[in-house]
Amino acid sequence: MPSNTYPLIAREGWPVLGLLLVAVVLANYYLGTVLTIVFAICLISLAFLLRDPTQDIPSLPLALVSPAHATVDSIETVNDPWLERKAVRIRLRMSPLDIYSLRSPIEGKVVNQWSRSKDAENAHRKFAFWVKSDEDDDVVIAINLNRLSARLFRFYVHSGERIGHGQRCGFLYFGGIIDVYIPEHSKIKTSPGEHIASGSGILAQIVHTGAVSAVKSGDQSTAATG
């Protein structure tokens, strides 16, 4: 199971950063100042792109946090193609300058994973995973992978494993488009155009309509008896 402790720079980039550091040292000794500066700029730029700061996970009950640093592109009620149900889809659009770590929106069990190749209707390969909470709430995270990210994408949790709230579970190089399918009656906490942080930014809060109705019915019965 993935750890909750991470370095400031994502481990996924350490090999390339190490090579660039060696290139800087060798260029300084053998190739001159200009190439040394070029390699140093590449090293600093890549280190910035691969930054992976610690996130403060909110301790709010049934809160769904954003799986990625991204801008909220759209929010709409759709048919969830993965679970064949009505759901609210929150579409997140990452830029190449966003943080690439992928996090779980909710605590629970990874029930299933899917990988679909691009076809005539979809220009991107898709990867999706389904998390079921202890309260039986279903959340699906579907990632549209472009040609580059499809080759480099990493996901570290297997089906059947538990995952924590806001826990780091993958790495999406250079960003992508992420669709988060959540229960239809969830209370939305964000809006299109908002830039939201992974793990700490709240997308929505799940509302259990059945439980709320039961409580109200119980209150009314008590009042009538009294």
Side-chain angles (χ1 to χ4, degrees):
M1 193 173 188
S3 169
N4 272 320
T5 304
Y6 310 103
L8 183 61
I9 304 297
R11 290 190 181 93
E12 290 84 354
W14 287 6
V16 177
L17 291 173
L19 289 175
L20 282 174
L21 181 59
V22 171
V24 170
V25 173
L26 292 178
N28 184 52
Y29 277 96
Y30 301 110
L31 301 177
T33 303
V34 175
L35 285 177
T36 300
I37 293 174
V38 170
F39 284 125
I41 291 174
C42 291
L43 176 64
I44 294 171
S45 300
L46 189 59
F48 171 77
L49 291 176
L50 295 173
R51 67 198 185 282
D52 194 10
T54 300
Q55 300 296 327
D56 295 322
I57 314 301
S59 57
L60 296 176
L62 303 178
L64 294 166
V65 298
S66 177
H69 266 65
T71 299
V72 179
D73 186 73
S74 62
I75 303 172
E76 55 186 331
T77 300
V78 299
N79 180 57
D80 177 357
W82 307 94
L83 298 185
E84 295 298 332
R85 56 162 182 168
K86 282 289 185 182
V88 174
R89 184 188 70 191
I90 302 178
R91 173 161 289 177
L92 306 173
R93 191 176 296 272
M94 297 174 65
S95 83
L97 297 180
D98 280 318
I99 295 169
Y100 303 149
S101 291
L102 183 69
R103 294 175 179 268
S104 174
I106 194 170
E107 180 181 3
K109 179 181 178 181
V110 178
V111 179
N112 204 355
Q113 302 174 36
W114 301 272
S115 181
R116 295 181 181 175
S117 300
K118 61 181 181 179
D119 52 32
E121 295 183 359
N122 300 302
H124 302 282
R125 184 171 82 81
K126 291 188 176 183
F127 173 83
F129 64 101
W130 167 19
V131 180
K132 181 181 283 291
S133 73
D134 294 334
E135 294 79 21
D136 284 334
D137 299 306
D138 296 309
V139 177
V140 174
I141 301 88
I143 305 166
N144 294 278
L145 302 168
N146 58 38
R147 183 174 298 180
L148 178 60
S149 61
R151 293 178 178 275
L152 298 175
F153 174 68
R154 298 289 182 269
F155 188 68
Y156 301 122
V157 184
H158 300 288
S159 297
E161 291 185 340
R162 286 191 61 82
I163 193 168
H165 191 207
Q167 185 171 353
R168 190 181 190 272
C169 57
F171 201 73
L172 182 57
Y173 289 87
F174 306 109
I177 298 173
I178 300 176
D179 291 330
V180 185
Y181 296 90
I182 65 177
E184 188 178 6
H185 299 292
S186 300
K187 186 175 182 181
I188 305 302
K189 296 288 189 178
T190 187
S191 57
E194 179 184 0
H195 191 271
I196 195 163
S198 63
S200 58
I202 299 176
L203 295 177
Q205 190 166 14
I206 295 176
V207 177
H208 292 153
T209 55
V212 172
S213 299
V215 170
K216 289 182 177 179
S217 298
D219 292 341
Q220 291 172 356
S221 298
T222 301
T225 304

